[in-house]
Amino acid sequence: MLAPLPLDVATTWVLVGLIHLGLAAAVWTVLTGRHDRRSTLLWCAGSAMAGVMMLVYAARGALPHLPAIVAANIFGYAGFALRWAALHRERERPLPWGMLAALVTLACTAVPLLDAVDPRWRVLGNLAFNTLASLALWHEARALSRARASRSAAMVGWAYGVVALLLLARLAAVFSGLGASPSQLATAFDTELLLLAWMLTALWANLGYVGFAIEMAERRARLRGAQLAEVTEQRELAEQQAQALRALSDERQELLRVISHEVRQPLHNAQAVLQGVADAMHGAVPAVPGLDRARRVLREITRSLDNTLAVSTRMIEDRAPPLRDTDLDMLVGLVLGDLPEEERPRVRLQRDSAVRTAAMDVGLMRLALRNVLANALAYATPGTPVTLRIVDSEEPLAVVFEVADEGPGIAPALLPRVFERGVRGRHDVHGQGLGLFIVRRALQLQGGTAEVRSDAGGSVFTLTVPQGQEDGG
């Protein structure tokens, strides 16, 4: 019967080292582009350094003793530090590189010093440092398992926990056998058992790290899916709300048109009747004091209604209206026709432009000019003229309407706010503070501007309508 072959420690060291190197390359290949690149690099570099340490240790008999011991320790302890850093980073914790460098330097310096005293003390010290490093990896993997609720991270922790227990057993055996020679310590059975544990740990820990990375990738995918579903749901909800708002807006517009017609028509009819009565009574009987007053009240009510409806409809929209070529003389005629008959002679038209047509929204410009002129007539000194001047602008290309009065001017404190909604110059003048707000908004919807300058000699409102723009419709 043949006797069993003795265990070859050097061959086992080489095998375990090659397994570490191969697994490091495999993990890097699998996880590159699928997991955090820096954490993956730290883990794979640490595993590869552990493999290099074992290869150097296996060849220590063919290499100078002290350099081989120092090189093996540098690779080994640096490998522990990098794998610990990878697990620590997976918990999104800052990496204490200074502390890691100090611990690696301490271990790498202490082991050669112990070897100079006695090789058996070097073995003892090396085992102690490896035990502490394995326990550190076990603790960090367990912390990662709890933080990320990961079974795969727990698997990494159990792998290094088993190694730590075997290292403790080996440490106890070495401590009890300090009287033996270094060669006897190196070929003891528990050394082979420890190398077998290192081999299994290389497989178990690297598989655990890959499993952890896959778990995290699946969670990210589920989170992205949930976020996408939430965004899709929100978009669908927003579209439904937008449709509901459009329907509500359409209903409101229709309601306002009905109200406008139902309210305006009786007012226009009343105005026509009063005008007919006034024409019929002209020169026939003495003037009726209340008749003119009734006509003025109806005109004021109609103008206020027009402003209110304008604010309720077109003034609050963001869409630019279509700009059409508009005859300027026709526009001025419409605007003057909107003014009270007795106030029209106060308006003086000054044409400093040869242009007869300009691109604008005739409804908005009619509303804007009527409000500016009505405002000037109301606030200017009674009986003084109000000038409507039409000029060209070359830079920028525009048509400009200027309305100038000879009133007391606008108070300096009020001037910056004169175009704001609800602002009124005097409370003894009837109105809701909508007139100049509508003027500015009407110009803005056409891409233009409304400005004012004022002093003690009067005020000048400048309405600028750009030309040469594309149709806003």
Side-chain angles (χ1 to χ4, degrees):
M1 184 175 179
L2 296 174
L5 294 174
L7 296 173
D8 188 345
V9 177
T11 302
T12 308
W13 277 109
V14 171
L15 178 61
V16 177
L18 292 176
I19 289 175
H20 273 85
L21 288 172
L23 287 173
V27 171
W28 176 256
T29 302
V30 170
L31 297 185
T32 298
R34 298 177 177 86
H35 191 56
D36 180 71
R37 184 179 181 86
R38 187 169 297 180
S39 297
T40 303
L41 179 61
L42 288 171
W43 177 267
C44 293
S47 183
M49 284 188 173
V52 173
M53 177 273 291
M54 293 176 182
L55 293 177
V56 173
Y57 200 78
R60 67 187 184 281
L63 298 173
H65 177 72
L66 186 58
I69 293 297
V70 171
N73 287 331
I74 291 174
F75 282 111
Y77 295 128
F80 274 118
L82 292 179
R83 281 172 288 176
W84 183 91
L87 298 177
H88 196 70
R89 192 174 189 278
E90 296 288 3
R91 290 201 291 145
E92 298 180 354
R93 300 292 183 87
L95 294 177
W97 289 115
M99 182 192 74
L100 293 176
L103 291 175
V104 170
T105 303
L106 175 63
C108 292
T109 304
V111 171
L113 293 177
L114 291 173
D115 185 68
V117 176
D118 191 318
R120 288 169 295 191
W121 284 103
R122 183 256 303 165
V123 173
L124 189 66
N126 214 350
L127 285 170
F129 290 133
N130 275 270
T131 302
L132 292 173
S134 297
L135 287 172
L137 280 172
W138 167 81
H139 179 270
E140 193 61 34
R142 296 292 294 173
L144 178 60
S145 172
R146 291 190 297 270
R148 297 287 184 264
S150 171
R151 293 184 179 180
S152 297
M155 187 169 76
V156 176
W158 283 115
Y160 286 106
V162 170
V163 169
L165 288 176
L166 290 176
L167 282 168
L168 283 171
R170 173 67 174 150
L171 183 62
V174 171
F175 188 79
S176 62
L178 282 177
S181 65
S183 60
Q184 290 175 320
L185 294 174
T187 57
F189 173 74
D190 53 359
T191 301
E192 290 288 345
L193 183 61
L194 182 60
L195 287 172
L196 178 62
W198 275 121
M199 184 185 302
L200 295 176
T201 298
L203 294 168
W204 198 253
N206 280 286
L207 286 175
Y209 188 78
V210 171
F212 169 79
I214 292 174
E215 287 179 359
M216 296 302 103
E218 290 176 347
R219 291 181 188 179
R220 289 193 297 271
R222 287 196 296 270
L223 179 61
R224 284 195 296 268
Q227 291 174 340
L228 180 60
E230 182 180 359
V231 170
T232 302
E233 182 180 357
Q234 291 177 349
R235 184 174 64 247
E236 292 176 351
L237 179 61
E239 290 175 353
Q240 293 173 0
Q241 292 175 340
Q243 291 176 356
L245 287 174
R246 282 195 294 269
L248 182 62
S249 177
D250 292 342
E251 292 177 5
R252 186 197 66 181
Q253 297 291 340
E254 182 61 28
L255 178 61
L256 287 172
R257 281 193 291 270
V258 171
I259 292 174
S260 176
H261 179 270
E262 295 297 327
V263 175
R264 276 175 169 161
Q265 191 60 42
L267 289 175
H268 288 312
N269 291 341
Q271 284 180 306
V273 169
L274 289 176
Q275 183 63 45
V277 170
D279 292 343
M281 296 177 60
H282 182 69
V285 296
V288 179
L291 185 59
D292 288 340
R293 184 172 180 274
R295 292 169 61 193
R296 286 195 300 271
V297 170
L298 280 176
R299 281 198 301 268
E300 188 63 36
I301 291 174
T302 302
R303 189 169 70 88
S304 296
L305 178 63
D306 287 344
N307 284 342
T308 301
L309 291 174
V311 172
S312 300
T313 54
R314 301 185 71 178
M315 294 297 105
I316 62 174
E317 295 180 356
D318 291 327
R319 292 174 297 176
L323 306 182
R324 309 297 186 200
D325 277 345
T326 301
D327 186 282
L328 297 181
D329 291 331
M330 179 200 70
L331 173 64
V332 171
L334 291 173
V335 173
L336 292 177
D338 292 335
L339 299 176
E341 184 178 356
E342 65 275 11
E343 297 286 0
R344 295 172 195 167
R346 293 178 59 191
V347 179
R348 297 179 180 177
L349 178 62
Q350 181 178 340
R351 286 290 299 267
D352 293 336
S353 170
V355 175
R356 299 194 59 83
T357 63
M360 62 184 67
D361 182 282
V362 64
L364 290 176
M365 283 309 302
R366 179 180 179 181
L367 191 62
L369 286 172
R370 184 178 73 189
N371 276 291
V372 173
L373 286 171
N375 186 80
L377 292 169
Y379 285 94
T381 303
T384 59
V386 172
T387 302
L388 171 59
R389 181 169 174 251
I390 304 175
V391 297
D392 293 332
S393 171
E394 296 295 334
E395 188 61 38
L397 184 62
V399 60
V400 180
F401 299 87
E402 290 185 351
V403 175
D405 64 55
E406 298 178 5
I410 302 172
L414 186 64
L415 193 60
R417 300 170 43 244
V418 73
F419 289 107
E420 294 180 8
R421 185 173 183 172
V423 175
R424 296 171 58 190
R426 296 203 315 265
H427 292 283
D428 60 333
V429 177
H430 180 75
Q432 299 171 303
L434 293 176
L436 294 182
F437 167 77
I438 289 174
V439 170
R440 184 179 63 176
R441 188 70 181 124
L443 269 295
Q444 288 176 341
L445 287 171
Q446 300 174 86
T449 59
E451 299 173 336
V452 61
R453 62 183 187 274
S454 182
D455 54 32
S459 303
V460 178
F461 286 84
T462 303
L463 312 185
T464 304
V465 185
Q467 300 299 294
Q469 298 180 339
E470 293 184 0
D471 191 339

